[in-house]
Every structure is written in structure tokens, then in C-alpha cells.
Amino acid sequence: MSESTEAVEDFDDRTARKTLWRAVRRSLPFLKPHAGLMTLATTMAILNSITTIAVMYTVMAGIGHIVIGDLDAISGTAVNLVALVVLENVIRIIYNSAIIKVNERLTVTIRNALVVRLHNVQLSGHVAQASGEWVTKVLFEADRFRRFLSKSVMEIVNSVAWFIAFAVFLLALSPAVALPTLIAIPLMVYVAIWWTRRLRPDTRQQRAEWDQMVGYLNQRIDGLADIRAFGQEKAVLADLDEKSEQYSVVHNRLSRKRLWLSSHLGVSVHIALALLIFFGGLQIIAGNQLGSGFFFQLASGMMPMTWMLLGTNTMMASMGMAQGAALAAGTLAAFALFVKRMLNPVRDLAHQLGETSDVAVSAKRILEVLDLPEEADGGETLPEVQGDLAVEHVSFAYPGGEEVLHDVSLHASPGAHIGIVGTSGAGKSTLMQLLVRLYTPSSGTISIDGHDLAGLSRSSVRTQVLLVTQEAQLFDGTVAENIRFGRPDATDEEVVEATKAIGADEVIAGLRDGYQTRVGERGARLSVGERQLIALARGMLADPRVIILDEAVSSVDPARQRIVLAAIRRLLAGRTAVVVAHWLALVEDLDQVFVIEDGRIVESGAPVELLTAGGRLAELCQVQEGQATGDNTGRDNINV
Amino acid sequence: MKESLRALRFIYSYPLRYRSAMTIATTIMFLGLLGNIAIPLLMRVAINVGVLGGDPQLLLVIAVLVLAAGVVTTALLHLGKRIRFTVASKAVNDLRHDLFGKLTHLGPGETAEASGGRALTRLVSDAVAVRGLTNGGLLELLIQILVTLTMLVAALVIDWRTTLFAVIPMVPVLAVNLTVQLQLQKSFVELKGQFTKMLAGVGESLANINVVKSFGRENAASGRLHKINEEHSARDGQMKRTYSRWEAILNVVGGLPTPIALWIGGTAVVNGRLTVGDLVAVVALIMMFQMSMHMLAMHINGAFRSKVTAQRLLNVIDTADVVTEAAHTRSMPALTGALRAEGLIVDIGSKRVLDGVGIEVAAGESVAVFGPTGSGKSTLLHALARLRDPDGGVVTYDGIDVREFAPAEIRQHVVCLPQRQWIFEGTLAENIAFARPSATDADIARAAEAAGLSHIPLTRRFGASTMDLSAGERQRIGLARVLLVDPDILLLDNPTANLDAETEAALLDTIVRVRRGRTLVIATQQLAVGRHVDRVITLGAVPDADDRSLAHAGTTEKGQAGE
């Protein structure tokens, strides 16, 4: 969280604009398939503007009829108005359907693009650690940006369409009415731009403070057990209140500025109305008619549809006989009625401008995901291998980090089981990730049957070389689905067979719903031992030539340890295996053991030799033996 | 229905804590909206007298008045809104305070159950829903109703016939609208659920990215999310489409008042019963009335939706505290550290975690509690430290029932260290001092040293995701915290889990050092721990994970950990 916070703070206006543009350009391919629907929506937006003007025009004409006293025409106007309302809503339904469809598809495609990118990304410590942050990016930021793409863009189109239609209508109708109203528009736009500039830094700061508070809360929820254990509830609550207050200050400042913007816009509307009443009224009194013949000619040319719909012919005839001043009063009244509605789109546009800096932040975060380096694939396909694994002079540093492996060499002939032993942080996990090509060595080579991994397609490597990690990560779903994860086409029988083969069938069958038991989010409903057995069965079913196993038998409860250990032995039988071993019983099974310390191999050889020679391995095992309680517990249970 | 009302009452109680400010804001906003009604009335005079009567001076006066009304209205609304969002911020902070306060009174099981596993969402977005309610909620609804009625009355006074006919279609519109909103509510709730599912799915997939990559199943994993994503979006679209259709129908019916007013009012003008100015005023008022009804429907809709959120929040608030503080507590004497529990029964949710467990630890004795995952070791420690009151049975310190002491005071004498130490963003010193904020720098340095942390500078900062600390170092930070509190009884929950043997041995040495004569209970699965304690107890294995009723404590001889 904190990293993004800093990033948001030094995000100036120019960068914001650039980022937004880059994001929009980047998302054009997402929009492209919906070009048809977007065009339809735009057309409907324009038609909607025209219909609204037609409504105004009809009301205006209606008041004209009323002034003249033409009863037939009055009821005609009422009918026309009803027809227009129906038309307006038909247009709106089409518009909405198009927009809803676009939204639906855009949401799916943007989210999917982010999900795919995150799954194919080149692994780095950062990606692995911050999964919560990615979730926010994929769901919340993507939705915000999508709203901008569809809703805001459409609203801007709407407003502009309306503005043009309205200005043409007004000027054609009467400059006397048009000018005071049109004066308000640049005023409103100016006010909007002025305030938008002042809103931007606050918007960004609010986002940053918000992220900070969410991060803060997230950490406190994480620490609830400790907060209670040390009786620090009151202190933490006081701290939380302070953080909330801090956020409120920023939030309220932003709200105040937004309020000023909308109040200024509100006053602008009233200025327009006052000018309209005064100048419009004066003109009428001076005997200038507001409705000019030019307008009707224009209207007939511009809107033949509306023309027919309104039956303007009759109206025009009656207008000819109108008393000028009274009719003009009708026009004035109609405008007064609609002045707010006329200026609303301008107000909305101003608000949209205010939102853009907020969207720029979302855009930036989405781009962070889309710009992540994708894992290189391609290369040769690894043919069926025997399983001869060779690591030669491999050194490795994580992107931007220090070197964590130095000149590591080891070799496993087909079917051999080698072990890697060392204290935590020695570089064991890194080495394992290199072996399955989750990373590529900075120097040196890793090869299988003489094929350099770096030149092979990652998918072909991973079908024959499998990493089974100690976290035994499961997905929400059934036990069977989790076992099948590596080979989705496996039949139920094959799933059971694989489980039986590692001797876990009884345990699995003993679960509440057997193979159909739901494991819960990340396997939370199962015990550690059960989770590990499922991970081992998954490996068995995938049937790789080479297994890279991070053994974690020690975290399994004693009752299950023997079963897990037996399962590991069965899984490894007949395959080349690299085992990060913690258990003495397993170490003794292995053909050769490499002791790794600070990223270097410091000792290697057959385990029995190493143990009797009294080197580093013997030292490590001695600590473990010393810790074992009682002599009657048997070696299998000694925690190494 | 009763539940819904309770939920709404609960939510609204927060802004209503600032009753006077809300009353002032409401009054100001009501006056402001009334100012809006002045404008059609001014228009009426402008047309009747100014334009048709040919009085330019009056026009100027009216124009100035319209501007003045506009400015005053805007200013009043501005002021009212400003008060309101300030109150809203306070209300959100209060609610967040209460929610978090509640969470500190729950155990982990209860927290997950009460919040549906999403405590953060409850604290963050759900709490913010209150802001929306305060800004546009109940009071807005009230104002809107009042203003709508005033508009109606003003229009009725000018011409009751026209007004009456014009507003008739609005009645079914409002009724149908409410019905539709109620219908959509269900979809809304389902949609929320689907979104939560999606959140969990993405989180899970990314947390397991190693496995996904190991099996080369990137496509399948993202495909699984695509599916959830599709379902969510489709349902969302479906809901919006349904609403859009209804809205169109309602708009058509709701659009009838203007033509009706023009027709009936227009006829009245022709018959000489009304003037053009009157008609304009009536039509303007009716148009405003329509708009007002629309807003009213929106507010009602908002209230319906917030009810869902409110109910979820209430769910958290309603969960019983795991520790109930007695009305009268006695002050705690210096403890010898003798600890005893008898017949402990603990239910978490619908599960019985402990069933009749007893334990006795003499002052200064050290005991290891063994038992498989799920046997209730942690829960036992929680009961012993009074982090949870058992549903049955009793815990005593030096023979005194723990319920006679205030929980806050117990923490000064009894510390139960959780399995995973919490490291928050801040320096090492801040992290240690968390246990006793009043600790001096010298105290902190001493504690760090004694806990074996001297290799890390006290000023070193940790980030939110502390991958740079080893599991052993985390435990040592916990021990340093314990040293600051200096309790009489120390309970440790699985301190050496996931440690390699060397680290485990060193940590156990430190634990022995830190213990220094305190009563010590360690819950553990590591047999090595047994060598460092006076006595070992085994909490019985439960053959069926769903049936904890067999949990039973038995004691074995020193050094013999039974299975």
C-alpha cells in the first residue's frame, strides 16, 4: 500500500494527463469491438438532445397557442408532447441498452486482460508478496477506469452534442434570448476549469490518504490477536481515531472545494435566468418579436422528423396571426422553464473534468499491471526426457536485488534423489525456482538431458519438471478438483489411483464428503497434513520426470507425519528428485546431499558419509537430535 | 421488516449523534430549496405585470430578485451541505471506531464469522456507506418530502384544477417505483455476493501463483476467473437492463404532468380563468415537482440499499464479546502464577472446540501442551489468558476466578503470545514498544537485547509486508514485547512452528531466559519443546475433524510426549 501512496503523491498534473492518455490509447483495442454499439449510443445521445429541444420548442409553441386562444392547437400540443416523451424514452432505452452492453463487455475484457497479465508475469518477490494490492488493481481500479471509458466519455460526447444543438437552436430562435443564456456557458466552463485545477492536488491527496488508511486498517486487523494479547485495544483505537481524523481533514477539504464548484455553477444558472428575464422582457416591451421566421425555415430544414411529428404546419399558420408581444412572452416563459435543464449538461461536463485526475490515478495503477514484464515463452519444446539434471556454475540475483546464489553446481543422474539442506535464507527456495524456470539464472546454465532450460518453452519444461512447494497451496473447490489441477483431463479413477499410489486414499476418503469435500479458500478447511497429501497426490497425477520438492513434514501434526513421509517416498520413486529436506529420515534416503549456506554449496556427498565425517550436515543434524525428546519415538518423528 | 427498521435505525443513529448540527443543516437546506420555489413565482409576476403590463422597471426589479433568490438559495444549500458532510465524516469515523472496537472484543473465529471473513470491507467500504446516507439519506428524504409538498401546495394555490389533474399520474409512478426497487433489492444482494466471490478468487489465484506456474496452468487459472467475471458482469447487466426498462415506462407515465398541465391550464387561460404568467408558474412548479419525485424515489432506493449494508454491520456489532467485563471488578494482587482451569467448554460458531478440559499449573512451573492441529490448544491458551470467556468451566489465578478481574488489568499480569507475531509498519523500537507504549528507550533496548535482537538496529523500519524478517526474528520481537510487560504468567502459542532446527534451538534458549521464574505454558507440536519444560500435557487427538467432543487433557510423565 505504502508504495502506491508515495507514487500518488508525486504524480503531477502533466504526468497525470500523459498517463491518462497512455491508458486510453492502451485501451483502444478493448473499445474497438464495441465501436458499433458506441456509435449507436452516440447517435442516440444526439437524437436525445434534439428531442429535448423539440420538447422545449413544443412547449414554447403551446404557450403561443394558449396566448392566441387556439383550443384545438392546445390539445394537439399536449398530444405531441406525450408522443415526444414516448420517443425520448425509446431513444433512452436504446441508448441504455447499448451502454449497458458496452459496460458489461468492457468490464470483462479489462479485468480479464489484467488477470491474464498477472498470471503470465515474470515472477518477482514483489508480485508474490502483494497479492492483496493486485486484487484492488484488478477489480476496483479497473472498474473506475472502465466507468471513465464508457460513462464519462459518453457524457462528454452528450454534453458537447447538446451544447451545439442548443446553441444553434437559440441563435436561430432569437439572439435576444440566446445571448444572455450563452454568456452563462463560457462563464460556467471557466468556473469549472478554474476549480478543476484546484481540485486535482486534493483529489490525489485524498486517494493517497485513503490508501494509507486502508493499509493501516488492514494491518490492524492483521494484528488483532496481538492487540488483544497485550491489552492495547484503547491505544490502537485512539490511534485509529487520529488516522480517521487525518483522512477526514483531507476529505472535507476536497468536499468543500467540490461544493464551491457546484455552488458557482448554480449561481451561473441564476445569472443566466436574471439576464434572460431582463433583456428578453425589455426586447418584448420594445416590440421585437422573439420568434423569427428564419428559425422556422431552419427548423423545417433541420428536423423534418420533428416537423411531421409536431404538425408544425398548422402551428405556423396560427403563429402568423399571433399578437407579437404575447407570443414573445410565451417564448420567454418557455425558456425560463427550461433554463436549468438547458445548462445541466454543461454542469455535468464541468463535473466530469473534475473527475479526470481521479481517473488518472486509476489509469496509472492499471498501467502498472499491464506494463509488468511478461514471462518469456517460446523456445524449443523439451522432448521426453530421462531426467538427467545438471546445474553448472549458476549465480542469480532477483531483479534489482543482490546476488543470492553464487556459482552453484550440482548434478542428478536419471532417477537419482539429491537433497539440498541449509538454514532458512540460505538460497534453497531460489534454487528450486530456477530449476523449474520460474526465473532464469543470471549466469551459468541449468540443463535437463543436455537441453539448456533457458532455451526451452516454459510450458514444456513444467510438464516434465514439477515443483511441489511446502505451502501446499490449494484452491477453493473440491479435493478432486485440486488433485486434478495439473492434469484437468484425468478421470475420477485416475485421481483415486494417484491418491492410492501415495497411500493417501484412506485419509481423503475419510473426509466429510471424500473426494468431493470442499477445501475452502486456500484449503483453509483442511489440516496442514491433509493439504500436503493433496499436493502430493496432485504431483503424482501429473506424473513428471523430475520433481523439485520442498518438503515440510515438520509442520504436519505428529499423527499424520508418518503418512506424509510415506507419500513423499512413493511420489519420488522412479523419478529424478531434488528435495529440500528438513527431516533426517528423508535425508538418509537420499543418494547425495548438498549443504547450502549463504548461496554457496559448502558440502556435498552421500548422507551417511557426511554424517560420519562430522561436517556441516552432521552439525545440523546434531542440533536436531539433541532436541528430540525421548529415545523411544523412532527416527521418523525426529524433527530435523 | 422489524429487522430492516432496526438496521436503518442503527445506521442513522450515527449522524443523529450530531443532532443539533443536523437540525441546523436540515433547516438551512429546507429554506434553500424553498428559495427555488420563489423563482417560478417571480416569473409569474414578471410575465403578468412586467411583460404583458409593459413595465420595464418591474422587469429589472424581478431580474434582480431572481438573481438574489438564486444567490441566497445557492448560499443556503452550500452552507447546509457543508455542515452535513462535516457531520457525515464524523459519523463515518464514529462507526469505524465502534466497529474496530467491536473487533477487538472478538476472537479470530468470531471476527471471521461476523464479518463474513471480510473485516476490512466492513471497516472500510461499508462504513463509508454511512457517509452516503448522511449526505443523501433520511434527512434529505425528509427535506425532499417537505419541499415536494410545498411545491404541490404552491401550484394548488395558483390553480388547483390544473395541478390536481397533472399530478394524478405521479401516484402510480411512485407506487410502481417502490415495488420495482424492492424487487431489485434481491438481485443487488446477490450481485454483492458475487463480487465478494470474485475478490476472493483473484486473491487466491495470485497468492497461489507458484503452484499455477509450476503446473503450467496459467490459462486455466485465469480462465476460472474469467468465468466468475463473466457471470458477475452478465448479472450486473441483466439487473441494469431490467431497471432501465422499468425506468422508461415510469418516465413515460411520469412525463404526463407537463402535457396535462399545458392542456388543462392552457384551456383555462383561453377561457380567461388564468393568466399566461399563472400558467407558466404552475407548469414550472409541476416540472419541479416531477423532478422532486424523481429525487424522492432515488433517496428511497438509497435507503433500501443501505439497509443491506446496515444489516451486515449490525451482524458484527451484534456478535457477543468473547470476554464480558463484570460490573464490579477487584484490583489484581501480585500473582504467584498458580494457574488452574476446570471443566472448560468453548464453542466457536457451531463447533465445540473444548469440551470439559482441565489443567493445573503450579506457580513458576513450565508446561508444554501437545496436540494435533485443531485439538484446541490455542483456544485453551486464550481461555487461560482470559482472551476468551469459556462457555462453561472456570479459570483461576492463585485460586481467584479470573472473571473478578478487569481484562485490561489481566494483560499486565498474563500475556498470551500468538503463533504469528504481528509486525506493523514502523521501526523495530516502535514494534516492541507496542506492548507498553510508556516504555523508555532504555527499557526497549534492554528487552530487544534480552530477546536476542541485538543484531537488528532499533531504528530499522519494517514495511507493511515484512518478508525481510525471519520467522525466528518475528518470535523474538514477540518475546521482547513480553519482557516490556513483565507478566507473572506467560503463555506461548506454537512459538517454534516452521523454524529450522538450529533456529528452534536458539529460540528455545531465549524462551528459557525470558521466562525467568514465570509460570509458562507452551502450546506446541514440536517434540523438541518438551525438553525445555517441567511437564508435558497432551490434548487428545480428535479422530474426526468435525467432532471435537473427544478433546480431553491427559498428563504424561516428563519427557514423554504421547501421541
Side-chain angles (χ1 to χ4, degrees):
Chain A
M1 267 310 154
S2 63
E3 234 171 85
S4 310
T5 307
E6 286 159 28
V8 170
E9 274 163 1
D10 57 44
F11 196 42
D12 64 58
D13 271 10
R14 242 180 94 189
T15 332
R17 255 200 308 276
K18 272 192 189 158
T19 311
L20 191 56
W21 267 116
R22 204 156 73 81
V24 169
R25 270 205 309 277
R26 201 59 183 270
S27 41
L28 282 180
F30 299 139
L31 284 170
K32 218 173 168 187
H34 314 302
L37 281 173
M38 295 285 272
T39 317
L40 179 66
T42 313
T43 316
M44 288 302 130
I46 294 168
L47 279 180
N48 190 44
S49 296
I50 295 172
T51 321
T52 308
I53 286 175
V55 169
M56 280 170 51
Y57 170 56
T58 311
V59 170
M60 190 190 80
I63 293 178
H65 297 310
I66 290 166
V67 172
I68 302 158
D70 182 348
L71 278 174
D72 284 348
I74 293 173
S75 47
T77 301
V79 173
N80 283 342
L81 269 181
V82 174
L84 277 175
V85 169
V86 173
L87 181 67
E88 209 175 10
N89 280 288
V90 169
I91 291 173
R92 202 168 291 163
I93 273 198
I94 300 174
Y95 173 83
N96 279 342
S97 306
I99 284 293
I100 290 169
K101 192 78 202 164
V102 170
N103 270 339
E104 202 181 307
R105 295 321 307 163
L106 263 186
T107 309
V108 170
T109 40
I110 294 180
R111 276 186 201 155
N112 282 359
L114 292 175
V115 164
V116 166
R117 177 54 62 112
L118 281 175
H119 278 90
N120 289 297
V121 77
Q122 169 81 54
L123 270 192
S124 73
H126 182 63
V127 176
Q129 282 165 31
S131 65
E133 209 175 299
W134 300 119
V135 174
T136 316
K137 284 180 184 169
V138 169
L139 294 177
F140 295 105
E141 307 290 1
D143 279 4
R144 204 188 284 257
F145 185 65
R146 189 267 303 153
R147 264 202 301 280
F148 169 74
L149 277 185
S150 56
K151 190 166 166 272
S152 306
V153 169
M154 284 315 295
E155 247 165 53
I156 290 170
V157 169
N158 251 342
S159 301
V160 172
W162 166 251
F163 179 74
I164 295 171
F166 176 59
V168 169
F169 174 70
L170 266 192
L171 283 169
L173 182 65
S174 157
V177 176
L179 287 176
T181 321
L182 290 178
I183 283 171
I185 291 175
L187 186 70
M188 288 171 91
V189 171
Y190 177 75
V191 164
I193 291 174
W194 196 84
W195 274 111
T196 304
R197 281 222 185 99
R198 268 142 206 84
L199 276 172
R200 266 190 214 132
D202 293 282
T203 311
R204 282 197 291 272
Q205 204 192 341
Q206 188 230 11
R207 282 291 284 276
E209 290 277 343
W210 173 251
D211 285 351
Q212 216 158 45
M213 195 171 68
V214 174
Y216 174 86
L217 275 171
N218 205 356
Q219 280 191 47
R220 303 307 114 160
I221 291 173
D222 224 34
L224 273 173
D226 299 71
I227 292 168
R228 296 186 66 220
F230 288 102
Q232 292 301 319
E233 295 92 337
K234 287 211 173 87
V236 171
L237 262 180
D239 203 23
L240 169 68
D241 287 344
E242 203 181 298
K243 281 273 182 318
S244 291
E245 187 51 43
Q246 218 173 307
Y247 172 73
S248 287
V249 168
V250 178
H251 180 86
N252 287 349
R253 189 169 61 220
L254 180 65
S255 302
R256 272 201 302 279
K257 288 194 181 175
R258 286 205 171 126
L259 190 57
W260 274 116
L261 166 63
S262 84
S263 293
H264 277 171
L265 293 176
V267 169
S268 310
V269 173
H270 285 97
I271 291 177
L273 188 60
L275 290 174
L276 181 72
I277 290 175
F278 184 61
F279 289 106
L282 275 188
Q283 293 248 339
I284 297 168
I285 294 170
N288 290 337
Q289 295 186 14
L290 292 181
S292 69
F294 169 68
F295 163 66
F296 291 108
Q297 283 157 21
L298 188 78
S300 57
M302 248 174 57
M303 301 181 284
M305 283 269 298
T306 329
W307 181 269
M308 284 189 299
L309 202 70
L310 297 180
T312 325
N313 280 327
T314 31
M315 200 189 71
M316 263 181 79
S318 57
M319 290 287 254
M321 303 183 290
Q323 304 131 301
L327 184 59
T331 313
L332 181 65
F335 271 95
L337 286 177
F338 282 100
V339 72
K340 269 200 177 167
R341 210 169 148 188
M342 293 183 301
L343 295 175
N344 275 349
V346 184
R347 193 196 57 196
D348 293 346
L349 184 65
H351 279 149
Q352 286 304 334
L353 287 176
E355 298 297 311
T356 48
S357 58
D358 205 22
V359 179
V361 176
S362 295
K364 177 174 184 291
R365 294 185 176 173
I366 293 170
L367 286 175
E368 273 166 20
V369 175
L370 290 177
D371 289 346
L372 285 173
E374 197 159 322
E375 202 175 10
D377 201 7
E380 288 170 54
T381 305
L382 181 64
E384 189 101 345
V385 292
Q386 293 298 308
D388 185 276
L389 181 70
V391 175
E392 285 161 60
H393 305 294
V394 162
S395 295
F396 178 73
Y398 285 102
E402 283 173 30
E403 199 174 89
V404 286
L405 286 181
H406 321 282
D407 194 25
V408 171
S409 296
L410 46 88
H411 176 250
S413 345
H417 294 174
I418 63 170
I420 297 174
V421 176
T423 50
S424 55
K428 294 172 296 187
S429 311
T430 309
L431 180 57
M432 288 191 312
Q433 290 176 330
L434 290 175
L435 290 175
V436 291
R437 226 200 135 209
L438 283 172
Y439 295 98
T440 312
S442 315
S443 65
T445 55
I446 299 175
S447 57
I448 293 180
D449 288 11
H451 303 278
D452 186 351
L453 284 192
L456 299 169
S457 91
R458 59 185 156 140
S459 43
S460 74
V461 170
R462 288 179 202 153
T463 47
Q464 298 196 61
V465 184
L466 181 66
L467 174 70
V468 179
T469 54
Q470 64 173 352
E471 295 107 2
Q473 294 150 317
L474 304 187
F475 297 87
D476 195 3
T478 65
V479 170
E481 280 163 13
N482 270 288
I483 294 177
R484 207 178 266 136
F485 184 75
R487 236 186 79 197
D489 54 343
T491 61
D492 286 350
E493 290 70 36
E494 286 171 317
V495 169
V496 176
E497 226 169 86
T499 317
K500 272 191 182 145
I502 61 156
D505 184 47
E506 251 176 69
V507 176
I508 303 299
L511 294 173
R512 189 204 296 249
D513 298 314
Y515 285 85
Q516 296 310 315
T517 308
R518 290 196 74 86
V519 303
E521 209 175 302
R522 297 177 206 185
R525 289 191 206 157
L526 302 180
S527 74
V528 182
E530 286 156 356
R531 285 205 290 266
Q532 291 199 0
L533 287 176
I534 291 172
L536 293 170
R538 181 154 75 184
M540 193 70 170
L541 184 65
D543 193 24
R545 279 307 306 147
V546 181
I547 281 201
I548 317 293
L549 173 74
D550 188 4
E551 167 266 310
V553 185
S554 63
S555 51
V556 179
D557 58 74
R560 293 248 195 266
Q561 278 170 352
R562 244 183 272 263
I563 303 175
V564 173
L565 205 54
I568 290 177
R569 288 185 173 134
R570 291 182 187 187
L571 172 64
L572 301 189
R575 305 175 209 276
T576 308
V578 180
V579 181
V580 170
H582 304 280
W583 273 55
L584 185 53
L586 250 178
V587 173
E588 287 184 335
D589 275 1
L590 302 168
D591 300 319
Q592 203 182 6
V593 173
F594 295 83
V595 180
I596 186 165
E597 233 158 58
D598 294 327
R600 273 174 227 284
I601 291 185
V602 293
E603 196 175 283
S604 66
V608 185
E609 286 166 24
L610 289 180
L611 285 171
T612 38
R616 195 66 188 111
L617 181 69
E619 231 171 87
L620 283 167
C621 291
Q622 211 162 15
V623 179
Q624 292 145 5
E625 284 221 71
Q627 294 213 12
T629 51
D631 299 315
N632 55 345
T633 39
R635 290 222 123 166
D636 273 4
N637 275 358
I638 297 169
N639 183 3
V640 173
Chain B
M1 195 59 202
K2 211 172 150 192
E3 266 298 296
S4 309
L5 277 178
R6 201 176 143 251
L8 284 178
R9 227 182 5 248
F10 161 71
I11 278 286
Y12 284 118
S13 71
Y14 283 91
L16 288 179
R17 284 184 188 182
Y18 304 92
R19 204 160 306 208
S20 46
M22 285 307 270
T23 314
I24 293 171
T26 310
T27 316
I28 290 177
M29 290 192 65
F30 177 60
L31 292 176
L33 288 169
L34 279 189
N36 269 339
I37 299 177
I39 290 175
L41 301 178
L42 285 170
M43 280 298 301
R44 181 186 180 203
V45 181
I47 293 175
N48 278 352
V49 188
V51 178
L52 297 179
D55 184 349
Q57 264 168 345
L58 183 75
L59 273 185
L60 184 62
V61 172
I62 298 278
V64 170
L65 282 178
V66 165
L67 190 58
V71 170
V72 170
T73 298
T74 311
L76 286 173
L77 289 179
H78 187 106
L79 189 62
K81 281 180 184 165
R82 186 168 166 161
I83 297 175
R84 223 169 44 179
F85 69 63
T86 312
V87 170
S89 276
K90 286 189 172 145
V92 175
N93 291 351
D94 289 349
L95 175 61
R96 198 177 286 131
H97 175 103
D98 287 1
L99 281 172
F100 191 82
K102 185 71 201 186
L103 290 186
T104 62
H105 287 101
L106 301 180
E110 283 84 1
T111 302
E113 192 137 321
S115 63
R118 305 212 61 83
L120 185 64
T121 315
R122 297 295 96 92
L123 280 170
V124 178
S125 27
D126 285 0
V128 167
V130 174
R131 188 195 299 281
L133 272 184
T134 314
N135 271 334
L138 188 68
L139 290 174
E140 181 83 31
L141 194 69
L142 195 76
I143 298 175
Q144 207 65 53
I145 291 174
L146 282 175
V147 170
T148 311
L149 284 176
T150 316
M151 284 170 190
L152 192 62
V153 170
L156 282 170
V157 168
I158 298 173
D159 183 32
W160 66 268
R161 258 177 287 213
T162 309
T163 309
L164 211 57
F165 280 112
V167 298
I168 283 173
M170 297 306 289
V171 179
V173 167
L174 196 64
V176 173
N177 202 346
L178 285 180
T179 323
V180 174
Q181 296 293 358
L182 274 173
Q183 292 284 320
L184 285 176
Q185 250 226 286
K186 229 177 90 201
S187 314
F188 182 72
V189 174
E190 281 170 23
L191 202 64
K192 278 247 159 170
Q194 245 174 350
F195 192 76
T196 311
K197 196 171 138 198
M198 197 156 60
L199 271 175
V202 175
E204 184 182 70
S205 189
L206 294 178
N208 288 351
I209 190 78
N210 265 332
V211 180
V212 173
K213 285 189 172 291
S214 302
F215 285 93
R217 300 278 294 142
E218 292 90 344
N219 291 343
S222 39
R224 183 169 151 267
L225 293 173
H226 293 349
K227 214 178 122 217
I228 307 178
N229 191 356
E230 288 276 359
E231 279 169 13
H232 175 261
S233 297
R235 185 177 277 272
D236 188 39
Q238 187 54 44
M239 188 173 127
K240 286 190 178 132
R241 263 188 291 276
T242 311
Y243 185 67
S244 155
R245 260 175 236 137
W246 271 110
E247 203 187 21
I249 295 170
L250 293 176
N251 278 342
V252 168
V253 182
L256 292 179
T258 313
I260 293 177
L262 269 182
W263 182 44
I264 297 181
T267 314
V269 172
V270 175
N271 294 339
R273 200 164 53 75
L274 277 184
T275 65
V276 175
D278 294 344
L279 178 66
V280 168
V282 170
V283 173
L285 283 168
I286 286 172
M287 281 168 68
M288 284 167 79
F289 176 77
Q290 272 175 281
M291 195 58 97
S292 218
M293 290 297 266
H294 189 71
M295 301 282 284
L296 206 60
M298 263 172 51
H299 289 311
I300 293 173
N301 182 12
F304 274 136
R305 290 194 177 183
S306 61
K307 195 195 78 192
V308 182
T309 313
Q311 264 163 346
R312 277 200 307 238
L313 294 177
L314 256 185
N315 215 358
V316 177
I317 297 286
D318 280 348
T319 309
D321 289 0
V322 289
V323 174
T324 342
E325 191 161 352
H328 302 287
T329 51
R330 57 195 272 181
S331 77
M332 228 167 151
L335 295 181
T336 66
L339 177 64
R340 193 181 142 84
E342 234 176 296
L344 292 183
I345 294 174
V346 173
D347 296 325
I348 297 180
S350 55
K351 271 190 191 152
R352 176 143 295 188
V353 183
L354 293 179
D355 191 3
V357 174
I359 181 175
E360 182 157 9
V361 185
E365 194 188 11
S366 61
V367 171
V369 178
F370 283 91
T373 317
S375 56
K377 297 187 299 286
S378 305
T379 310
L380 174 63
L381 292 194
H382 290 168
L384 292 179
R386 215 193 164 202
L387 285 167
R388 164 187 296 284
D389 282 335
D391 298 291
V394 65
V395 176
T396 63
Y397 302 147
D398 289 354
I400 308 168
D401 190 331
V402 295
R403 280 169 293 196
E404 293 183 28
F405 304 124
E409 209 175 344
I410 294 179
R411 306 282 164 261
Q412 313 299 315
H413 297 268
V414 182
V415 169
C416 171
L417 214 55
Q419 176 173 340
R420 214 179 65 89
Q421 302 308 310
W422 176 52
I423 312 298
F424 55 87
E425 244 180 298
T427 63
L428 174 62
E430 284 164 0
N431 266 286
I432 295 175
F434 151 77
R436 182 158 68 85
S438 62
T440 64
D441 288 350
D443 292 341
I444 297 168
R446 253 197 314 276
E449 164 118 41
L453 285 166
S454 28
H455 62 292
I456 306 178
L458 283 167
T459 49
R460 160 104 172 267
R461 278 198 84 80
F462 303 121
S465 49
T466 14
M467 291 303 199
D468 39 357
L469 276 174
S470 72
E473 284 164 346
R474 279 175 170 261
Q475 286 299 334
R476 288 176 189 280
I477 291 178
L479 291 173
R481 287 171 175 167
V482 168
L483 284 167
L484 275 192
V485 179
D486 191 20
D488 305 312
I489 300 174
L490 177 57
L491 310 165
L492 302 177
D493 193 353
N494 219 354
T496 62
N498 299 323
L499 295 186
D500 55 69
E502 259 187 326
T503 317
E504 180 179 35
L507 185 72
L508 283 170
D509 285 343
T510 310
I511 289 175
V512 169
R513 222 176 28 246
V514 167
R515 183 192 154 205
R516 239 185 10 216
R518 301 174 220 274
T519 305
L520 172 69
V521 180
I522 305 184
T524 185
Q525 287 184 356
Q526 317 296 79
L527 298 180
V529 175
R531 254 170 63 102
H532 295 260
V533 293
D534 303 332
R535 193 156 54 95
V536 168
I537 289 174
T538 305
L539 211 52
V542 188
D544 178 359
D546 292 321
D547 179 12
R548 304 262 182 264
S549 63
L550 294 178
H552 215 77
T555 309
T556 52
E557 290 297 304
K558 175 178 175 172
Q560 276 195 353
E563 247 187 77

